[in-house]
Amino acid sequence: MDGADHGSVLFVGNATTLIRYNGFTLLTDPNFLHRGERAHLGYGLGSKRLTDPALEIGDLPPLDAVVLSHLHGDHWDRVTRDGLDRSTPVVTTPHAAHRLRRQGFERAVGLKTWEEYCLRNAHGVLTITSVPARHASGRAQALLPPVMGSVLEFHSEGHIDLRLHISGDTLLDRRLREIAERFPDIDVGIVHLGGTKLLGLLLSMDGRQGADWVDLVRPERVLPVHYDDYTVFSSPLEDFLDHMRQTGNLDRVIRLDRGDSYTLPVRPAASRPG
């Protein structure tokens, strides 16, 4: 198949992307609130949105699945709850899947770390693997919903065409090292940044941690998301770019504005593992 036919990533805003590849269409961390509206983060806390999404939920194409890192209001909001087709599979943590099924999303699938979920179509197979993520340090973890990262592997004719990793909302953690060990040669990494701060606690990677994450996971290309859409963000994209420049990895970064798309690569046949 021609590389142009394989697909792309459209950056909708915050951590929301629309991924199309090998005939599959996926939505990540759906957030369709508008500028000035508040996302609920639990315990009566929230954050005001500063931007508008590039798409409305009614503009979405038919979806094969949603990949949801965790159940926070800036990743799964009331617009999504009310507007998304409830027959859509939602691949997420067991904690989130249990709550989504109570909302009527009966095809929500909860994956424990390293568990897989597979989709098939006429072009091949998509395997979604849950990988480690940690939303906070120490005892604060108990106050936040469990989070997962995910690795998406698109297979055709018995080979891997693309390996894509989504970090989820995580801090840098030694457990992330196993991701690179199990999944070397990551083609594209979508990294959640922003240095989210709530009640003085850091809840997502800032620019320095994001650059260290790139050194650890070693994706060939990096798409930064989740950095300027809400008032809880403390680390702008420029922080990440500065640290990427210092580590010599700036050329890996694909910077997308909301509404922009990136054409996903296709591995040369000779380099595709089975």
Side-chain angles (χ1 to χ4, degrees), residues 6-10 17-21 23-28 63-65 67 152 154 162 164 166 190 264:
H6 276 67
S8 62
V9 176
L10 170 67
T17 66
L18 188 65
I19 300 171
R20 306 181 204 232
Y21 200 83
F24 294 103
T25 302
L26 307 170
L27 184 69
T28 69
L63 301 172
D64 293 291
V67 180
L152 282 54
F154 296 85
L162 177 75
L164 185 150
I166 305 169
I190 298 178
L264 289 165

Side-chain angles (χ1 to χ4, degrees), residues 14 32 40 49 93-94 111 118 121 125 146 156 197 211 218 261 274:
N14 202 42
F32 294 97
H40 301 297
R49 185 153 190 175
T93 65
L111 298 181
C118 290
N121 66 14
V125 177
S156 67
K197 283 191 176 177
R218 305 302 298 173
S261 292

Side-chain angles (χ1 to χ4, degrees), residues 68 71 76-86 90 95-108:
L68 175 64
L71 206 57
W76 179 276
D77 59 26
R78 54 190 176 273
V79 179
T80 300
R81 180 196 63 205
D82 296 339
L84 191 68
D85 185 343
R86 280 173 160 73
V90 183
H95 168 273
H98 173 72
R99 283 155 179 77
L100 291 177
R101 286 193 289 267
R102 292 172 61 182
Q103 293 180 15
F105 291 88
E106 296 183 357
R107 297 182 68 189

Side-chain angles (χ1 to χ4, degrees), residues 84 111 148 177 184 216 259:
L84 191 68
L111 298 181
M148 74 174 197
R177 187 177 304 278
L216 182 68

Side-chain angles (χ1 to χ4, degrees), residues 129-150:
T129 303
S130 171
V131 301
R134 181 171 64 93
H135 209 345
S137 300
R139 295 179 180 178
Q141 293 183 76
L143 302 175
L144 297 167
V147 181
M148 74 174 197
S150 53

